[in-house]
Amino acid sequence: MAVGFFKPLLPIILLSSLHLYDDWVSTPSCRPVPEPDPAHSQAHPDDLKVMMVANLLLLGSHSSYLDLLFRDHFVSKFFARSFRTLGPDMLLVLGDVSARGHHLPRSEYASVIRQFHRVLGPFLDLPLHVALGDRDVGECGGLSEEAVGWIARRMPGLDSAGCGAFEIGNVSFVSLNAVALLCGNSGLRFSVEKAVERESVDFRVENEAVRGGESEVERKEARVYEFGWRENAMSAGSGPVVLLHFPLSRNVTPSFGGSSNIFDGREDVGRGPYDLLQKLPPNATEYIFQALKPRIVFSAHTHEFYDHFHPDGTREVTVPAMTWNARNDPGFVIAIFRRNGGAVSISYCSLARESHVLVAYAFLLILSVSMLAFSSTPSLRSLKTMIS
């Protein structure tokens, strides 16, 4: 009788176990990065919490069944669980939404956008900004102003050059098309430089007006955009938060959970060779430092997490890839901008390894089949008759 009572519960037990495991593996594990100055990192209700992800490498209509039924399912669960447990105020995506967007006909690119919206889930109701990566718009040899403008119009907050500037919670952000900054004297690069210098003038005027006690109206009237280069007298770290796809020029090793495999150079990622070593050259790096005096810089592309201080004291955080198409253990970054206007607290969040999830599901499948097979064997039926 006991066995007869237990048998109908088997499917319920197995489904409950599967649901609990599914819920557990979709919960991110976040570790705060040690703060340079813990005294300036006290929590406050007015702090701005931003979730930063990169390198989703979505395949759109070229997705396999494994991508559609397994990887996309878990990425969407990662986003939903992160939204519920971490409560961010905003989502930033630092490029490479698509694995091969610059190769896709425009009629097929819509499938990437639909897939992107599908995996974001509840984040579509939050402020969202997307920077452009090389997989989104292509490399210098095939970079087109018209194509970049077409893609930029489908991403929130970008101008025709793939740049953007916005303010939320008293934190100012400047997003740059880092791909164009690699492309010599192209017209697109000139458009990006105009965006940089426009924001540089804005922040110089803003800082001078604040020091002089001017009102907001007076500050706006004082903004005259002059695109000729001028030395920026602002102090380091007093400018906006800068968002890029490519890292700035530096020579460091991965930190706080990163691995050293990026130094292998080109790897097969997202069904194609990917140069993980690419970064902005020293002259472009210095240009950004001098023009914008960034409060902090966030970059991506390498698939690894870095936390690095440049010689002038500027902090750069590189966001890891959030896809199993790029690495076995995807991750993201939570940045909390403190209301005191200076401190930024960083947490590195890792997600379940794809290999661990596959092994666990295989084990649950084998266990389910074994239990169901055992419950229907003649010996067990005889035992049930004797007990009854």
Side-chain angles (χ1 to χ4, degrees), residues 35 40 80 87 117 124 135 148-149 161 179 188 202 222 241 297 309 354:
E35 293 293 335
H40 292 161
H117 289 172
L124 288 174
R135 291 229 164 178
V148 168
V179 183
L188 195 59
D202 267 354
V241 177
V297 176
F309 286 86
E354 183 177 34

Side-chain angles (χ1 to χ4, degrees), residues 102 106 132 136-138 142-154 160 188:
H102 58 292
R106 293 182 180 179
L132 297 180
D136 300 314
V137 299
L143 200 63
S144 158
E145 293 183 59
E146 192 270 337
V148 168
W150 186 87
I151 294 174
R153 287 194 297 273
R154 281 145 185 83
S160 60
L188 195 59

Side-chain angles (χ1 to χ4, degrees), residues 35 152 157 193 207 218 268 288 335 383:
E35 293 293 335
E193 289 177 347
N207 275 263
E218 290 171 324
D268 258 1
I288 290 171
L383 178 62

Side-chain angles (χ1 to χ4, degrees), residues 119-233:
V119 300
L120 288 188
F123 278 92
L124 288 174
D125 295 328
L126 288 185
L128 168 69
H129 182 82
V130 181
L132 297 180
D134 54 324
R135 291 229 164 178
D136 300 314
V137 299
E139 297 180 346
C140 291
L143 200 63
S144 158
E145 293 183 59
E146 192 270 337
V148 168
W150 186 87
I151 294 174
R153 287 194 297 273
R154 281 145 185 83
M155 299 299 178
L158 295 180
D159 63 18
S160 60
C163 299
F166 56 96
E167 184 173 310
I168 181 170
N170 293 323
V171 180
S172 297
F173 296 85
V174 172
S175 171
L176 301 178
N177 181 353
V179 183
L181 289 175
L182 297 175
C183 300
N185 294 319
S186 71
L188 195 59
R189 174 174 179 144
F190 179 66
S191 297
V192 174
E193 289 177 347
K194 286 200 296 184
V196 170
E197 294 176 21
R198 180 172 63 244
E199 294 306 317
S200 176
V201 170
D202 267 354
F203 274 90
R204 284 201 299 271
V205 171
E206 189 79 21
N207 275 263
E208 292 166 2
V210 168
R211 288 196 300 270
E214 295 177 11
S215 67
E216 178 65 21
V217 173
E218 290 171 324
R219 289 199 295 269
K220 288 181 178 178
E221 290 176 349
R223 289 173 183 169
V224 179
Y225 300 121
E226 300 175 4
F227 298 128
W229 173 247
R230 293 189 300 166
E231 183 65 25
N232 190 342

Side-chain angles (χ1 to χ4, degrees), residues 9 22 27 49 57 66 68-69 91 101 128 139 168 186 198 207 230 250 267 270-271 304 373:
L9 295 179
D22 194 61
T27 302
K49 182 184 288 187
L57 298 178
L66 178 64
L68 293 173
L69 302 178
L91 176 67
L128 168 69
E139 297 180 346
I168 181 170
S186 71
R198 180 172 63 244
N207 275 263
R230 293 189 300 166
R250 67 189 189 275
E267 295 184 357
R271 300 183 185 176
E304 300 288 339

Side-chain angles (χ1 to χ4, degrees), residues 235-295:
S235 60
S238 60
V241 177
V242 174
L243 309 174
L244 301 157
H245 177 67
F246 287 125
L248 300 175
S249 176
R250 67 189 189 275
N251 184 21
V252 295
T253 56
S255 60
F256 206 73
S259 65
S260 61
N261 63 359
I262 71 157
F263 296 103
D264 297 340
R266 283 194 172 266
E267 295 184 357
D268 258 1
V269 176
R271 300 183 185 176
Y274 203 33
D275 186 357
L276 300 178
L277 298 177
Q278 202 163 20
K279 59 184 179 296
L280 291 187
N283 62 337
T285 298
E286 186 63 23
Y287 175 68
I288 290 171
F289 284 162
Q290 291 299 320
L292 295 175
K293 307 290 187 182
R295 176 180 178 182

